[in-house]
Amino acid sequence: MDSLETELDRARELDVAELADAIETIGFECTRCGACCKSEAGGCGGSEGETEQIDDPEPHTATVFPDEIRRLQDAGDYDFRDVARPMPYGIEETPDGPQGETFEWALQTDDCGDCTFYDETDGVGACTVHEDRPLICKTYPFSVALGGTSQPMGEAVDEAGMVRAHECEGLGRDIPREEAEELAAALKERAVRELEEAIGVRENYEPTDADGVVVHDSEGQKRPDGTEL
Ligand code: SF4
Ligand code: SF4
């Protein structure tokens, strides 16, 4: 992979019309199946009071940037931990509790491992923070073929031009041009933000021997509740 700075330059030069062409070629219409909002085990999918806890679900993980966390907090008057949790990669359970360093925040999950903002009625999923959902959600199931950007839900299952498509039952359906352009613009914004965040994390990283879990984000070193170390 080229340097993050080189990939960031490429992301800033992405042509939204070309990305929209690629999205139209692949095709997409969300069926609201909820697969990208639920745990890998399929979650419970219900709203509070309707859920049935399942044993040891593989929780949903979706990256959320520090400013997106604040926007979600403001949208619902939520505490930090209502919205986000440390990305679990790099964190180990020990007799003294979770320990380790991680480099991203993930959307908070419920007891079923689903995104905390996911609701489902009669098999139809809904995002309760739709207007304020993070870029990773606005752009699912797509990513761009640039190093240092995230590839959600594993390997690509389809691609066209610079656009990759990931597992999603809505792929291959006709998409109106206007929606493809909106998605393309968000996809470019996400690629730029992911690379800016990665560069910020690298530049602000400071080794720490603090106990417990430490999240290194582009703003510095933080505790799991979002407070600075
Ligand atoms: S997996 Fe695809 S079709 Fe299902 S909710 Fe997510 S974006 Fe929509
Ligand atoms: S914020 Fe909304 S779109 Fe994103 S994972 Fe959660 S429920 Fe799904």
Side-chain angles (χ1 to χ4, degrees):
M1 187 185 93
D2 288 320
S3 73
L4 292 173
E5 285 76 6
T6 300
E7 298 294 56
L8 177 57
D9 288 342
R10 286 186 184 139
R12 287 179 172 147
E13 287 165 10
L14 285 168
D15 185 305
V16 172
E18 284 179 15
L19 295 179
D21 290 345
I23 289 169
E24 271 187 311
T25 300
I26 295 169
F28 169 65
E29 180 188 8
C30 181
T31 65
R32 297 175 66 182
C33 72
C36 58
C37 306
K38 295 195 277 194
S39 78
E40 284 183 24
C44 308
S47 58
E48 200 176 340
E50 297 172 345
T51 55
E52 180 188 343
Q53 189 167 346
I54 54 180
D55 292 336
D56 199 20
E58 191 64 34
H60 176 263
T61 52
T63 303
V64 57
F65 302 130
D67 65 308
E68 291 180 323
I69 296 170
R70 287 190 284 273
R71 198 176 70 232
L72 283 163
Q73 281 186 263
D74 291 346
D77 201 18
Y78 294 114
D79 288 337
F80 187 95
R81 297 195 75 160
D82 294 335
V83 171
R85 67 189 177 108
M87 189 61 87
Y89 313 132
I91 298 176
E92 291 180 0
E93 286 301 328
T94 76
D96 298 324
Q99 300 275 344
E101 295 177 274
T102 186
F103 299 89
E104 284 180 315
W105 298 99
L107 286 168
Q108 188 55 278
T109 51
D110 62 19
D111 290 343
C112 303
D114 300 342
C115 173
T116 190
F117 299 115
Y118 182 67
D119 198 6
E120 188 175 303
T121 307
D122 298 331
V124 178
C127 173
T128 58
V129 290
H130 186 76
E131 291 304 315
D132 298 294
R133 68 199 192 288
L135 283 164
I136 191 86
C137 304
K138 282 183 184 159
T139 52
Y140 196 82
F142 298 106
S143 65
V144 292
L146 286 175
T149 59
S150 68
Q151 308 293 312
M153 304 266 275
E155 293 301 309
V157 296
D158 199 357
E159 60 186 314
M162 287 292 286
V163 175
R164 291 174 175 159
H166 301 262
E167 196 180 325
C168 163
E169 69 172 35
L171 289 174
R173 297 170 178 237
D174 287 345
I175 180 168
R177 180 70 191 181
E178 194 180 334
E179 284 179 32
E181 286 176 357
E182 276 175 28
L183 242 170
L187 198 52
K188 176 176 178 176
E189 184 185 352
R190 185 184 119 205
V192 170
R193 289 294 323 280
E194 284 179 344
L195 285 156
E196 287 175 344
E197 179 71 17
I199 291 168
V201 169
R202 187 191 62 199
E203 289 180 350
N204 285 300
Y205 178 79
E206 283 178 19
T208 172
D209 54 6
D211 278 342
V213 172
V214 176
V215 182
H216 302 269
D217 69 21
S218 59
E219 299 171 354
Q221 283 56 244
K222 297 179 184 171
R223 288 292 187 192
D225 64 0
T227 54
E228 294 193 10
L229 265 185

